[in-house]
Amino acid sequence: RDEVIKIVMEQMEMKQADAEKSLDFVLPALADQGKINMEGIKWAIDMVKEAGVLKKEISLDKLLDERFYVK
């Protein structure tokens, strides 16, 4: 959790409190099968934008890396 908060703060230029709230907000969008729910993440990014917390554009490619999934 702490590492994710740090990455979010750096990559999305957020304050710690906002990054923590964003993580808590997005956690339900994550699948519980060990694979990230891409549509849920897109939705969460849109919600953070609408809330005015996200100040710059960010792509899923910058946030997610699926290379490490077991095939």
Side-chain angles (χ1 to χ4, degrees), residues 1-65:
R1 178 177 171 87
D2 291 340
E3 188 172 347
V4 171
I5 296 295
K6 181 180 175 185
I7 291 168
V8 169
M9 288 171 58
E10 291 171 3
Q11 294 297 314
M12 300 179 86
E13 298 177 1
M14 290 180 154
K15 295 179 182 176
Q16 183 169 346
D18 293 332
E20 289 172 351
K21 287 177 188 175
S22 296
L23 178 61
D24 291 339
F25 183 74
V26 79
L27 281 177
L30 302 178
D32 62 355
Q33 300 297 318
K35 187 170 181 181
I36 295 173
N37 176 341
M38 299 297 268
E39 289 303 314
I41 297 298
K42 287 177 190 174
W43 173 83
I45 290 171
D46 290 342
M47 292 298 106
V48 173
K49 283 182 189 175
E50 285 183 28
V53 177
L54 183 60
K55 303 298 182 194
K56 66 178 185 175
E57 289 296 317
I58 189 155
S59 69
L60 288 177
D61 294 339
K62 287 196 169 219
L63 292 175
L64 307 170
D65 186 348

